[in-house]
């Protein structure tokens, strides 16, 4: 028998563990493909967005920004639409401030804004308070009161309004029934502006709808609690309704004030042919005089200066309104 061979180690020893091969690092252009793909997708989305916005951008540049820049340049020139503009500096502005008819237009415009805007808003709020109550035929009344806002600014309505306020017309005959022989308002320099104000107040439908939406948001629990405490209708209106709808009231005041400064068509037509802007310049609002200077007298440089003065005035009035809202406008976050 041969010698016995002995083994000191295990009979079936497992092989030593081998290190797992790591993938080689990726080098070159392929390492940036995911990030570049995201950037490429973002660029395509931005390009699509600009493509859809391009009609608005083109319209803004060609119809708004471009004419505004041109009018700003013309405001410092002597330009009559036929000859090349000649730079005159601040002459248009100095002539404007010294022009008696320009001063008259400012006076008439301010008078119209101060009288017409509060009356229009008061009529809109009063009718909105009536329509906020549940009643039969409510949808019909809302549509009927809103309709004048859709057609009131048209030329045909202004012509009809002039016919109503002429001599021996509807208004004149109604006055005669009460012993008033004042004649037609259109031919009276002291009354024609009030005819224009009446036309403006008649178009209270748009602010009425906004007031109505604000009134619907006032919680009914506030009125019920105030009524249990003995508050009357006027006290509930003053202490609950007005504070709760003050943001809506501020919006309407701001919007209607700006619109009042821009009144033109009704004032121009109400004066009649051969006598635009009223007898004795009674309805010579700012935009009416601007139109006369720019298109009837071919003083486009002077008219451009007037337009920029109107823009500055409306901007200042808007800034004052925004500053004053801190005192009388109550928002929900301020009440918490």
């Amino acid at each position: 028998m041969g010698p016995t061979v002995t083994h000191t180690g295990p009979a079936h020893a497992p092989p030593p563990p081998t290190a797992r091969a790591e993938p080689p690092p990726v080098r070159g252009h392929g390492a940036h493909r995911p990030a570049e793909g995201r950037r490429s997708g973002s660029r395509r989305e931005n390009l699509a967005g600009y493509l859809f916005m391009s009609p608005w951008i083109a319209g803004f540049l060609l119809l708004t920004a471009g004419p505004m820049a041109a009018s700003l340049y013309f405001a410092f020139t002597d330009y009559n639409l036929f000859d090349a503009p000649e730079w005159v500096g601040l002459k248009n502005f100095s002539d404007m401030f010294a022009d008696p008819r320009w001063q008259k237009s400012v006076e008439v415009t301010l008078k119209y804004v101060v009288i017409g805007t509060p009356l229009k808003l008061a009529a809109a709020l009063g009718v909105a308070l009536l329509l906020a109550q549940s009643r039969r035929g409510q949808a019909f009344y809302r549509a009927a009161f809103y309709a004048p806002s859709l057609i009131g600014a048209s030329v045909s309505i202004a012509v009809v309004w002039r016919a109503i306020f002429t001599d021996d017309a509807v208004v004149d005959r109604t006055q005669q029934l009460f012993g008033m022989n004042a004649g037609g308002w259109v031919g009276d320099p002291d009354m024609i502006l009030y005819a224009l104000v009446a036309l403006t107040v008649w178009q209270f439908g748009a602010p009425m709808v906004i007031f109505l939406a604000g009134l619907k948001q006032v919680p009914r629990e506030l009125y019920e609690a105030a009524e249990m405490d003995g508050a009357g209708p006027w006290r509930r209106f003053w202490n609950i309704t007005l504070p709760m709808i003050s943001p809506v009231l501020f919006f309407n005041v701001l919007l209607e004030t700006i619109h009042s400064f821009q009144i033109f068509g009704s004032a121009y037509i109400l004066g009649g042919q051969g006598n635009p802007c009223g007898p004795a310049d009674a309805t010579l609002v700012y935009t009416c005089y601007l139109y006369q200077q720019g298109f009837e007298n071919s003083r486009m440089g002077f008219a451009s200066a007037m337009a920029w003065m109107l823009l500055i005035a409306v901007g200042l009035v808007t800034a004052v309104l925004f500053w004053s809202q801190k005192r009388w406008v109550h928002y929900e976050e301020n009440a918490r």
Side-chain angles (χ1 to χ4, degrees):
M1 293 178 65
T4 302
V5 180
T6 61
H7 298 277
T8 59
H12 301 286
T18 58
R20 188 175 181 180
E22 297 291 337
V26 180
R27 296 184 176 88
H29 184 72
H32 302 283
R33 285 181 181 175
E36 289 185 355
R38 288 193 296 269
R39 287 196 295 268
S40 177
S42 178
R43 284 196 296 267
R44 285 195 297 269
E45 291 179 358
N46 293 337
L47 181 61
Y50 286 120
L51 182 62
F52 283 108
M53 290 176 58
S54 58
W56 180 88
I57 295 175
F60 173 76
L61 293 176
L62 296 177
L63 302 177
T64 303
M68 286 184 64
S71 68
L72 180 60
Y73 168 72
F74 292 146
F76 299 94
T77 64
D78 182 9
Y79 182 47
N80 59 7
L81 291 176
F82 302 103
D83 300 326
E86 180 183 354
W87 184 267
V88 294
L90 297 176
K91 184 176 184 301
N92 288 327
F93 294 92
S94 61
D95 293 345
M96 182 195 314
F97 295 140
D99 187 358
R101 294 199 70 206
W102 179 84
Q103 299 174 6
K104 176 69 174 180
S105 69
V106 173
E107 177 186 349
V108 173
T109 303
L110 291 178
K111 186 177 180 180
Y112 169 79
V113 172
V114 171
I115 298 176
T117 302
L119 290 178
K120 183 177 182 179
L121 293 177
L125 181 56
V127 176
L129 289 171
L130 295 176
L131 295 180
Q133 304 173 7
S134 298
R135 62 183 68 240
R136 181 179 299 179
Q138 191 174 33
F140 168 77
Y141 289 118
R142 291 179 183 178
F145 284 118
Y146 182 73
S149 294
L150 300 177
I151 62 176
S154 63
V155 175
S156 58
I157 294 299
V159 173
V160 172
W161 203 263
R162 172 178 169 79
I164 291 175
F165 283 89
T166 54
D167 293 338
D168 202 27
V170 176
V171 175
D172 189 13
R173 293 183 180 182
T174 304
Q175 293 178 137
Q176 293 176 8
L177 294 177
F178 296 95
M180 301 171 58
N181 296 321
W185 292 20
V186 172
D188 189 351
D190 296 329
M191 297 298 296
I192 187 172
L193 183 63
Y194 298 102
L196 180 61
V197 170
L199 177 58
T200 301
V201 175
W202 181 63
Q203 306 171 35
F204 63 82
M208 177 204 69
V209 172
I210 299 176
F211 277 133
L212 189 59
L215 291 172
K216 291 295 184 180
Q217 303 301 319
V218 180
R220 303 303 305 175
E221 295 80 3
L222 297 178
Y223 293 112
E224 294 174 358
E227 190 173 359
M228 292 179 62
D229 291 339
W234 173 251
R235 188 175 178 184
R236 293 197 300 269
F237 171 77
W238 187 260
N239 294 330
I240 297 177
T241 304
L242 280 184
M244 293 298 295
I245 68 169
S246 57
V248 175
L249 178 60
F250 170 73
F251 176 80
N252 275 333
V253 169
L254 179 64
L255 207 62
E256 294 302 326
T257 301
I258 295 175
H259 287 169
S260 297
F261 275 103
Q262 298 174 343
I263 182 73
F264 169 69
S266 302
Y268 189 82
I269 295 173
L270 212 60
Q273 296 180 355
N275 192 20
C277 302
D281 292 337
T283 56
L284 184 68
V285 293
Y286 195 92
T287 52
C288 185
Y289 190 49
L290 188 153
Y291 173 82
Q292 287 183 340
Q293 290 294 326
F295 295 96
E296 293 182 2
N297 300 333
S298 297
R299 299 182 63 186
M300 190 57 65
F302 188 89
S304 299
M306 287 187 61
W308 278 95
M309 284 301 302
L310 178 62
L311 177 63
I312 293 173
V314 172
L316 291 176
V317 172
T318 303
V320 171
L321 288 175
F322 271 99
W323 172 80
S324 66
Q325 71 167 334
K326 301 176 182 179
R327 301 177 181 271
W328 60 276
V329 180
H330 306 280
Y331 294 99
E332 291 184 2
E333 58 268 21
N334 295 335
R336 296 176 182 174

